[in-house]
Protein backbone atom coordinates (compact mmCIF):
# COMPACT_ATOMS: atom_id res chain seq x y z
CA UNK A 1 0.00 0.00 0.00
CA UNK A 2 1.38 3.39 -1.02
CA UNK A 3 2.46 5.61 1.83
CA UNK A 4 0.10 8.44 2.74
CA UNK A 5 0.81 11.60 4.61
CA UNK A 6 0.04 10.97 8.28
CA UNK A 7 -1.23 14.50 8.77
CA UNK A 8 -3.53 14.13 5.80
CA UNK A 9 -4.85 10.79 7.11
CA UNK A 10 -5.90 12.40 10.40
CA UNK A 11 -7.06 15.65 8.76
CA UNK A 12 -4.47 17.78 10.54
CA UNK A 13 -2.13 20.64 9.77
CA UNK A 14 1.58 19.98 10.22
CA UNK A 15 1.75 22.28 13.23
CA UNK A 16 -1.11 20.47 15.02
CA UNK A 17 -0.82 20.35 18.79
CA UNK A 18 -0.80 17.03 20.71
CA UNK A 19 -4.34 17.51 21.96
CA UNK A 20 -5.52 18.17 18.40
CA UNK A 21 -3.90 14.91 17.26
CA UNK A 22 -5.59 12.96 20.03
CA UNK A 23 -8.96 14.58 19.38
CA UNK A 24 -8.79 13.93 15.61
CA UNK A 25 -7.89 10.28 16.17
CA UNK A 26 -10.70 9.77 18.67
CA UNK A 27 -13.21 11.26 16.27
CA UNK A 28 -12.13 9.05 13.36
CA UNK A 29 -11.70 5.93 15.50
CA UNK A 30 -15.29 6.11 16.68
CA UNK A 31 -16.34 6.05 13.04
CA UNK A 32 -13.96 3.40 11.62
CA UNK A 33 -13.27 1.11 14.60
CA UNK A 34 -13.82 -2.57 13.60
CA UNK A 35 -16.18 -3.13 16.52
CA UNK A 36 -18.43 -0.42 15.09
CA UNK A 37 -18.08 -1.78 11.53
CA UNK A 38 -18.00 -5.60 11.85
CA UNK A 39 -17.06 -7.30 8.59
CA UNK A 40 -16.20 -4.03 6.81
CA UNK A 41 -12.69 -4.60 5.36
CA UNK A 42 -12.39 -1.03 4.12
CA UNK A 43 -13.09 0.33 7.60
CA UNK A 44 -10.63 -2.18 9.06
CA UNK A 45 -7.90 -1.04 6.66
CA UNK A 46 -8.67 2.61 7.36
CA UNK A 47 -8.42 1.97 11.09
CA UNK A 48 -5.00 0.32 10.68
CA UNK A 49 -3.65 3.30 8.74
CA UNK A 50 -5.11 5.72 11.28
CA UNK A 51 -3.55 3.77 14.13
CA UNK A 52 -0.18 3.90 12.40
CA UNK A 53 -0.46 7.66 11.89
CA UNK A 54 -1.54 8.23 15.49
CA UNK A 55 1.26 6.03 16.86
CA UNK A 56 3.88 8.16 15.16
CA UNK A 57 2.40 11.66 15.49
CA UNK A 58 1.39 11.25 19.14
CA UNK A 59 5.00 10.39 20.14
CA UNK A 60 7.17 13.56 20.13
CA UNK A 61 10.37 11.66 19.24
CA UNK A 62 8.77 9.66 16.46
CA UNK A 63 7.06 12.76 15.13
CA UNK A 64 10.39 14.58 14.96
CA UNK A 65 11.86 11.78 12.85
CA UNK A 66 8.76 11.69 10.63
CA UNK A 67 8.80 15.46 10.09
CA UNK A 68 12.50 15.26 9.15
CA UNK A 69 12.47 12.24 6.83
CA UNK A 70 8.80 11.95 5.73
CA UNK A 71 8.55 8.48 7.27
CA UNK A 72 9.43 6.67 10.47
CA UNK A 73 11.31 3.50 11.46
CA UNK A 74 13.55 2.51 14.33
CA UNK A 75 16.55 2.59 11.95
CA UNK A 76 15.72 6.15 10.93
CA UNK A 77 15.37 7.08 14.58
CA UNK A 78 18.84 5.64 15.30
CA UNK A 79 20.24 7.42 12.25
CA UNK A 80 18.70 10.70 13.35
CA UNK A 81 20.22 10.26 16.79
CA UNK A 82 23.69 9.79 15.19
CA UNK A 83 23.18 12.70 12.79
CA UNK A 84 22.80 10.38 9.76
CA UNK A 85 19.95 10.35 7.28
CA UNK A 86 18.62 8.54 4.26
CA UNK A 87 21.67 9.65 2.26
CA UNK A 88 24.18 8.12 4.67
CA UNK A 89 24.14 4.75 2.98
CA UNK A 90 21.91 3.12 5.58
CA UNK A 91 18.57 1.84 4.57
CA UNK A 92 15.64 2.98 6.63
CA UNK A 93 12.50 1.01 5.96
CA UNK A 94 9.37 2.94 7.03
CA UNK A 95 7.17 1.85 9.88
CA UNK A 96 4.04 0.11 8.68
CA UNK A 97 1.89 -2.92 9.38
CA UNK A 98 3.38 -5.07 6.60
CA UNK A 99 4.20 -8.52 7.87
CA UNK A 100 1.65 -8.27 10.69
CA UNK A 101 -0.83 -11.15 10.68
CA UNK A 102 -4.21 -9.44 11.00
CA UNK A 103 -5.96 -12.80 10.64
CA UNK A 104 -5.18 -13.50 14.29
CA UNK A 105 -6.78 -10.25 15.33
CA UNK A 106 -10.51 -10.48 16.03
CA UNK A 107 -13.14 -8.11 17.24
CA UNK A 108 -13.58 -10.10 20.43
CA UNK A 109 -10.12 -11.57 20.95
CA UNK A 110 -11.45 -15.11 20.55
CA UNK A 111 -8.94 -17.91 20.05
CA UNK A 112 -6.16 -16.06 21.82
CA UNK A 113 -5.79 -13.44 19.09
CA UNK A 114 -5.26 -9.77 19.80
CA UNK A 115 -8.56 -7.90 20.06
CA UNK A 116 -9.27 -4.67 18.20
CA UNK A 117 -10.93 -3.66 21.44
CA UNK A 118 -7.66 -4.21 23.31
CA UNK A 119 -5.73 -2.14 20.74
CA UNK A 120 -8.35 0.61 20.89
CA UNK A 121 -8.30 0.67 24.70
CA UNK A 122 -4.50 0.61 24.77
CA UNK A 123 -4.28 3.69 22.56
CA UNK A 124 -6.96 5.61 24.48
CA UNK A 125 -6.23 4.34 27.95
CA UNK A 126 -2.50 4.94 28.18
CA UNK A 127 -1.55 1.28 27.84
CA UNK A 128 -4.55 -0.35 29.55
CA UNK A 129 -5.06 -3.95 28.52
CA UNK A 130 -8.80 -3.70 28.04
CA UNK A 131 -11.41 -1.15 27.11
CA UNK A 132 -12.64 0.95 30.06
CA UNK A 133 -16.01 -0.06 31.40
CA UNK A 134 -18.90 2.33 30.76
CA UNK A 135 -19.77 4.34 33.86
CA UNK A 136 -22.14 2.53 36.18
CA UNK A 137 -25.32 4.39 37.09
CA UNK A 138 -25.31 6.02 40.50
CA UNK A 139 -28.18 6.22 43.01
CA UNK A 140 -30.41 9.08 41.91
CA UNK A 141 -33.42 10.60 43.63
CA UNK A 142 -36.60 10.58 41.58
CA UNK A 143 -37.91 13.76 39.98
CA UNK A 144 -40.68 15.79 41.61
CA UNK A 145 -44.16 15.94 40.08
CA UNK A 146 -46.39 19.04 40.03
CA UNK A 147 -50.17 18.77 39.69
CA UNK A 148 -52.76 21.60 39.67
CA UNK A 149 -55.90 21.34 41.82
CA UNK A 150 -58.98 23.57 41.62
CA UNK A 151 -60.64 24.49 44.94
CA UNK A 152 -63.71 26.49 45.84
CA UNK A 153 -63.33 29.55 48.08
CA UNK A 154 -64.89 27.64 51.00
CA UNK A 155 -62.62 24.59 50.51
CA UNK A 156 -59.55 26.80 50.57
CA UNK A 157 -60.68 28.44 53.83
CA UNK A 158 -61.71 25.24 55.62
CA UNK A 159 -59.24 22.77 54.13
CA UNK A 160 -59.92 19.52 52.29
CA UNK A 161 -58.94 15.86 52.33
CA UNK A 162 -59.45 13.97 49.07
CA UNK A 163 -58.03 11.23 46.84
CA UNK A 164 -56.41 11.94 43.49
CA UNK A 165 -54.99 9.72 40.73
CA UNK A 166 -51.28 10.23 40.02
CA UNK A 167 -49.38 8.88 37.02
CA UNK A 168 -45.88 8.36 38.40
CA UNK A 169 -43.14 5.72 38.26
CA UNK A 170 -41.43 3.33 40.63
CA UNK A 171 -38.02 1.66 40.72
CA UNK A 172 -37.75 -1.41 38.49
CA UNK A 173 -37.91 -4.52 40.68
CA UNK A 174 -35.79 -6.58 38.31
CA UNK A 175 -32.71 -4.35 37.93
CA UNK A 176 -33.25 -2.24 41.09
CA UNK A 177 -33.15 0.91 39.00
CA UNK A 178 -29.79 0.21 37.30
CA UNK A 179 -31.31 -0.13 33.83
CA UNK A 180 -29.35 -3.34 33.18
CA UNK A 181 -28.61 -6.62 34.95
CA UNK A 182 -24.89 -6.81 34.15
CA UNK A 183 -23.43 -8.86 31.33
CA UNK A 184 -20.96 -8.00 28.55
CA UNK A 185 -20.37 -4.46 27.35
CA UNK A 186 -21.76 -3.68 23.91
CA UNK A 187 -21.98 -0.75 21.51
CA UNK A 188 -24.94 1.45 22.47
CA UNK A 189 -27.57 0.98 19.78
CA UNK A 190 -29.20 4.33 20.50
CA UNK A 191 -26.16 6.42 19.52
CA UNK A 192 -24.27 3.72 17.54
CA UNK A 193 -21.24 4.18 19.79
CA UNK A 194 -20.82 7.93 19.26
CA UNK A 195 -22.13 8.93 22.69
CA UNK A 196 -24.27 11.65 21.09
CA UNK A 197 -27.82 11.72 19.73
CA UNK A 198 -29.43 14.21 17.39
CA UNK A 199 -32.43 16.24 18.49
CA UNK A 200 -34.57 18.60 16.43
CA UNK A 201 -35.60 22.02 17.69
CA UNK A 202 -37.79 23.66 15.07
CA UNK A 203 -35.63 24.01 11.98
CA UNK A 204 -32.44 23.40 13.93
CA UNK A 205 -30.79 20.11 14.82
CA UNK A 206 -28.40 19.77 17.72
CA UNK A 207 -26.44 17.05 19.49
CA UNK A 208 -26.75 16.06 23.12
CA UNK A 209 -25.43 13.34 25.37
CA UNK A 210 -26.98 9.95 24.73
CA UNK A 211 -29.44 9.28 27.59
CA UNK A 212 -28.98 5.49 27.41
CA UNK A 213 -25.19 5.25 27.71
CA UNK A 214 -24.42 8.57 29.42
CA UNK A 215 -22.22 9.69 26.51
CA UNK A 216 -19.79 6.76 26.73
CA UNK A 217 -21.00 5.04 23.55
CA UNK A 218 -20.93 1.71 25.39
CA UNK A 219 -23.46 0.01 27.60
CA UNK A 220 -24.64 -3.32 28.87
CA UNK A 221 -27.73 -5.03 27.56
CA UNK A 222 -30.74 -3.12 28.92
CA UNK A 223 -33.11 -4.68 31.43
CA UNK A 224 -35.91 -6.42 29.56
CA UNK A 225 -38.54 -5.28 32.08
CA UNK A 226 -37.90 -1.52 32.18
CA UNK A 227 -36.12 -1.31 28.77
CA UNK A 228 -33.10 0.33 30.39
CA UNK A 229 -34.99 3.20 32.03
CA UNK A 230 -34.57 1.87 35.58
CA UNK A 231 -38.19 2.71 36.45
CA UNK A 232 -41.64 1.42 35.53
CA UNK A 233 -44.82 3.49 35.04
CA UNK A 234 -47.42 3.30 37.79
CA UNK A 235 -50.90 4.76 38.29
CA UNK A 236 -51.62 5.30 41.98
CA UNK A 237 -54.44 6.73 44.08
CA UNK A 238 -52.93 9.17 46.56
CA UNK A 239 -54.63 10.68 49.61
CA UNK A 240 -54.10 14.44 49.70
CA UNK A 241 -54.73 16.75 52.65
CA UNK A 242 -55.12 20.41 51.70
CA UNK A 243 -54.62 22.55 54.85
CA UNK A 244 -57.01 25.36 55.74
CA UNK A 245 -55.95 28.76 54.45
CA UNK A 246 -54.40 27.92 51.07
CA UNK A 247 -54.78 30.40 48.24
CA UNK A 248 -54.04 30.44 44.53
CA UNK A 249 -50.44 29.39 43.96
CA UNK A 250 -49.99 27.60 47.29
CA UNK A 251 -47.87 24.43 47.12
CA UNK A 252 -48.84 21.36 49.13
CA UNK A 253 -46.10 18.70 49.34
CA UNK A 254 -46.84 14.98 49.52
CA UNK A 255 -43.51 13.22 50.26
CA UNK A 256 -42.26 10.28 48.16
CA UNK A 257 -45.16 10.34 45.70
CA UNK A 258 -43.15 11.70 42.77
CA UNK A 259 -41.12 9.72 40.22
CA UNK A 260 -39.32 6.62 41.47
CA UNK A 261 -35.63 6.79 42.41
CA UNK A 262 -32.82 4.61 41.03
CA UNK A 263 -30.58 2.10 42.81
CA UNK A 264 -32.31 2.52 46.15
CA UNK A 265 -32.48 6.33 46.10
CA UNK A 266 -35.75 7.81 47.40
CA UNK A 267 -38.64 8.79 45.16
CA UNK A 268 -39.33 12.44 44.41
CA UNK A 269 -42.20 14.41 45.94
CA UNK A 270 -45.64 15.29 44.65
CA UNK A 271 -46.47 19.01 44.75
CA UNK A 272 -50.12 20.12 44.51
CA UNK A 273 -50.50 23.67 43.12
CA UNK A 274 -53.83 25.13 44.27
CA UNK A 275 -56.11 27.35 42.18
CA UNK A 276 -58.85 28.92 44.32
CA UNK A 277 -62.12 30.12 42.82
CA UNK A 278 -63.77 33.46 43.60
CA UNK A 279 -66.67 34.14 46.01
CA UNK A 280 -69.82 36.06 45.25
CA UNK A 281 -69.29 38.63 48.04
CA UNK A 282 -66.05 37.82 49.90
CA UNK A 283 -62.69 39.07 48.66
CA UNK A 284 -59.39 37.81 50.05
CA UNK A 285 -56.12 39.75 50.33
CA UNK A 286 -53.45 37.77 52.13
CA UNK A 287 -55.08 36.40 55.29
CA UNK A 288 -57.64 39.22 55.48
CA UNK A 289 -61.21 38.98 54.17
CA UNK A 290 -63.18 41.95 52.79
CA UNK A 291 -66.95 42.23 52.39
CA UNK A 292 -69.41 45.04 51.60
CA UNK A 293 -72.72 45.09 53.52
CA UNK A 294 -75.71 47.38 52.79
CA UNK A 295 -77.44 49.29 55.64
CA UNK A 296 -80.54 51.48 55.70
CA UNK A 297 -80.66 55.22 56.24
CA UNK A 298 -82.18 54.87 59.73
CA UNK A 299 -79.54 52.30 60.70
CA UNK A 300 -76.82 54.66 59.56
CA UNK A 301 -78.37 57.72 61.18
CA UNK A 302 -79.59 56.23 64.45
CA UNK A 303 -77.15 53.35 64.87
CA UNK A 304 -78.00 49.65 65.08
CA UNK A 305 -76.75 46.11 65.63
CA UNK A 306 -76.79 44.09 62.43
CA UNK A 307 -75.77 40.62 61.30
CA UNK A 308 -72.89 40.34 58.82
CA UNK A 309 -71.53 37.24 57.04
CA UNK A 310 -68.08 35.86 57.81
CA UNK A 311 -66.16 32.86 56.43
CA UNK A 312 -67.09 30.99 59.64
CA UNK A 313 -70.79 31.98 59.71
CA UNK A 314 -72.76 34.98 60.96
CA UNK A 315 -71.45 37.64 63.35
CA UNK A 316 -72.93 40.72 65.12
CA UNK A 317 -71.66 44.16 64.13
CA UNK A 318 -72.53 47.41 65.95
CA UNK A 319 -73.23 50.35 63.68
CA UNK A 320 -72.72 53.63 65.59
CA UNK A 321 -75.10 56.57 65.00
CA UNK A 322 -74.10 58.85 62.13
CA UNK A 323 -72.27 56.15 60.19
CA UNK A 324 -71.37 57.28 56.66
CA UNK A 325 -71.56 55.18 53.51
CA UNK A 326 -68.18 53.54 52.76
CA UNK A 327 -67.12 53.43 56.41
CA UNK A 328 -65.15 50.25 57.33
CA UNK A 329 -65.29 48.15 60.48
CA UNK A 330 -62.82 45.51 61.62
CA UNK A 331 -63.68 42.07 62.99
CA UNK A 332 -60.54 40.62 64.56
CA UNK A 333 -59.57 37.00 63.95
CA UNK A 334 -62.45 36.51 61.48
CA UNK A 335 -60.29 36.19 58.38
CA UNK A 336 -58.57 33.22 56.73
CA UNK A 337 -56.38 30.75 58.66
CA UNK A 338 -52.70 31.61 58.35
CA UNK A 339 -50.36 29.08 56.73
CA UNK A 340 -47.31 30.95 58.02
CA UNK A 341 -48.50 31.10 61.65
CA UNK A 342 -50.47 27.95 62.54
CA UNK A 343 -53.37 28.75 64.82
CA UNK A 344 -53.52 32.41 63.80
CA UNK A 345 -56.10 34.00 61.52
CA UNK A 346 -56.42 37.22 59.58
CA UNK A 347 -59.12 39.84 60.16
CA UNK A 348 -62.34 40.62 58.34
CA UNK A 349 -63.10 44.16 57.18
CA UNK A 350 -66.73 45.15 56.67
CA UNK A 351 -67.51 48.17 54.49
CA UNK A 352 -71.06 49.52 54.85
CA UNK A 353 -73.00 51.09 52.01
CA UNK A 354 -76.04 53.21 52.88
CA UNK A 355 -78.97 52.33 50.62
CA UNK A 356 -81.81 54.77 49.91
CA UNK A 357 -85.38 53.69 50.52
CA UNK A 358 -87.69 53.11 47.60
CA UNK A 359 -90.42 55.71 47.32
CA UNK A 360 -93.49 53.53 46.99
CA UNK A 361 -96.31 55.79 48.25
CA UNK A 362 -97.41 59.41 48.64
CA UNK A 363 -97.14 59.02 52.39
CA UNK A 364 -93.47 58.17 52.05
CA UNK A 365 -92.88 61.18 49.83
CA UNK A 366 -94.55 63.46 52.37
CA UNK A 367 -92.39 62.12 55.17
CA UNK A 368 -89.26 62.81 53.12
CA UNK A 369 -90.45 66.37 52.38
CA UNK A 370 -90.96 67.00 56.09
CA UNK A 371 -87.53 65.55 56.84
CA UNK A 372 -85.98 67.87 54.23
CA UNK A 373 -87.60 70.93 55.81
CA UNK A 374 -86.41 69.94 59.28
CA UNK A 375 -82.86 69.18 58.07
CA UNK A 376 -82.14 71.94 55.56
CA UNK A 377 -78.35 71.74 55.76
CA UNK A 378 -76.41 71.56 52.47
CA UNK A 379 -73.61 68.89 52.51
CA UNK A 380 -71.94 70.58 49.48
CA UNK A 381 -71.26 73.91 51.19
CA UNK A 382 -67.71 72.89 52.03
CA UNK A 383 -67.12 72.55 48.29
CA UNK A 384 -68.28 76.11 47.68
CA UNK A 385 -71.54 74.93 46.14
CA UNK A 386 -75.11 75.96 46.88
Amino acid sequence: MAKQDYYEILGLKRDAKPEEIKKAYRRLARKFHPDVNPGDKAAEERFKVMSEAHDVLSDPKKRTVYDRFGQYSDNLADAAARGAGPGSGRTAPGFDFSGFDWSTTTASGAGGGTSFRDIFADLFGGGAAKEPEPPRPQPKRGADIEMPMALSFEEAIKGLTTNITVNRSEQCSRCNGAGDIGGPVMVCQTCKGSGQVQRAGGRLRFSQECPDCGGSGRRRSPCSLCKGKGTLPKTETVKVRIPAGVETGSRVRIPAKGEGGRLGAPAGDLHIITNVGSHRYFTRKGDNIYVTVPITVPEAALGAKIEVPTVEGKAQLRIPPGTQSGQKFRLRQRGAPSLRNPGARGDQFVEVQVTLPKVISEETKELLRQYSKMNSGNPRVEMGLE
Side-chain angles (χ1 to χ4, degrees):
M1 180 177 178
K3 285 292 181 182
Q4 293 180 271
D5 185 283
Y6 288 160
Y7 292 99
E8 182 180 343
I9 291 171
L10 298 180
L12 297 167
K13 295 181 180 181
R14 301 193 71 84
D15 59 352
K17 297 179 180 179
E19 58 268 21
E20 294 176 327
I21 296 173
K22 183 178 181 180
K23 184 177 180 181
Y25 179 61
R26 281 179 177 269
R27 175 175 54 81
L28 293 172
R30 288 193 185 101
K31 182 177 180 181
F32 295 104
H33 191 276
D35 282 355
V36 182
N37 303 275
D40 188 337
K41 295 298 182 182
E44 179 181 314
E45 188 65 28
R46 179 70 181 270
F47 180 71
K48 288 188 288 185
V49 176
M50 288 162 38
S51 298
E52 177 183 339
H54 176 264
D55 179 75
V56 173
L57 298 184
S58 62
D59 187 311
K61 293 182 179 180
K62 292 181 180 181
R63 184 180 179 182
T64 299
V65 175
Y66 178 80
D67 289 343
R68 180 178 178 184
F69 301 118
Q71 56 183 324
Y72 175 83
S73 72
D74 292 338
N75 290 340
L76 276 177
D78 293 339
R82 296 192 300 268
S88 64
R90 295 181 180 270
T91 59
F95 175 78
D96 57 27
F97 284 93
S98 59
F100 184 82
D101 185 4
W102 288 93
S103 64
T104 62
T105 305
T106 65
S108 63
T114 303
S115 168
F116 278 126
R117 186 178 288 110
D118 293 339
I119 297 174
F120 194 55
D122 182 67
L123 290 171
F124 284 169
K130 64 178 183 178
E131 184 176 351
E133 296 287 325
R136 298 296 294 153
Q138 298 297 314
K140 184 179 181 181
R141 178 183 179 275
D144 292 341
I145 296 176
E146 292 186 352
M147 289 186 63
M149 177 179 286
L151 300 173
S152 67
F153 188 92
E154 291 82 358
E155 289 172 335
I157 294 295
K158 297 178 180 180
L160 174 70
T161 299
T162 185
N163 292 326
I164 62 173
T165 300
V166 180
N167 293 318
R168 51 186 300 266
S169 64
E170 63 181 358
Q171 180 175 281
C172 176
S173 58
R174 181 173 184 180
C175 66
N176 294 321
D180 64 66
I181 53 175
V185 177
M186 57 186 289
V187 174
C188 176
Q189 294 303 306
T190 303
C191 64
K192 306 303 180 185
S194 68
Q196 301 288 313
V197 291
Q198 297 292 320
R199 291 287 183 266
R203 296 183 178 180
L204 301 177
R205 295 186 64 83
F206 56 93
S207 297
Q208 67 181 44
E209 182 181 275
C210 176
D212 290 340
C213 66
S216 67
R218 318 285 293 175
R219 66 173 302 181
R220 291 174 175 79
S221 181
C223 171
S224 60
L225 185 59
C226 66
K227 309 303 181 185
K229 296 184 180 300
T231 57
L232 294 170
K234 179 180 182 179
T235 299
E236 183 176 355
T237 299
V238 177
K239 186 175 183 179
V240 176
R241 178 184 172 275
I242 305 297
V246 297
E247 51 189 322
T248 296
S250 294
R251 299 172 67 91
V252 180
R253 173 177 168 265
I254 297 89
K257 292 301 180 181
E259 304 291 1
R262 301 188 64 174
L263 292 172
D269 298 330
L270 172 64
H271 295 270
I272 302 299
I273 314 299
T274 56
N275 183 20
V276 180
S278 59
H279 195 276
R280 57 178 178 158
Y281 45 79
F282 287 128
T283 300
R284 180 176 178 178
K285 295 180 181 179
D287 294 334
N288 295 328
I289 301 294
Y290 296 81
V291 65
T292 299
V293 176
I295 60 174
T296 65
V297 172
E299 287 172 337
L302 303 176
K305 284 186 177 181
I306 64 171
E307 280 190 343
V308 295
T310 73
V311 293
E312 293 294 329
K314 297 177 181 179
Q316 291 287 325
L317 177 64
R318 179 181 174 275
I319 304 296
T323 294
Q324 299 296 317
S325 186
Q327 192 167 337
K328 294 181 180 179
F329 299 91
R330 180 180 183 182
L331 298 177
R332 295 182 181 276
Q333 297 290 307
R334 292 283 189 163
S338 175
L339 292 177
R340 293 174 294 276
N341 300 305
R345 301 182 70 100
D347 299 327
Q348 177 169 314
F349 293 87
V350 180
E351 180 181 340
V352 295
Q353 291 288 340
V354 178
T355 59
L356 297 177
K358 292 183 179 180
V359 180
I360 57 176
S361 65
E362 286 298 325
E363 184 179 2
T364 302
K365 290 181 180 179
E366 183 60 30
L367 288 173
L368 289 175
R369 290 189 187 101
Q370 292 180 15
Y371 174 81
S372 178
K373 291 178 181 178
M374 297 173 65
N375 296 271
S376 58
N378 182 358
R380 297 174 294 279
V381 170
E382 294 180 357
M383 302 174 67
L385 302 174
E386 297 182 358

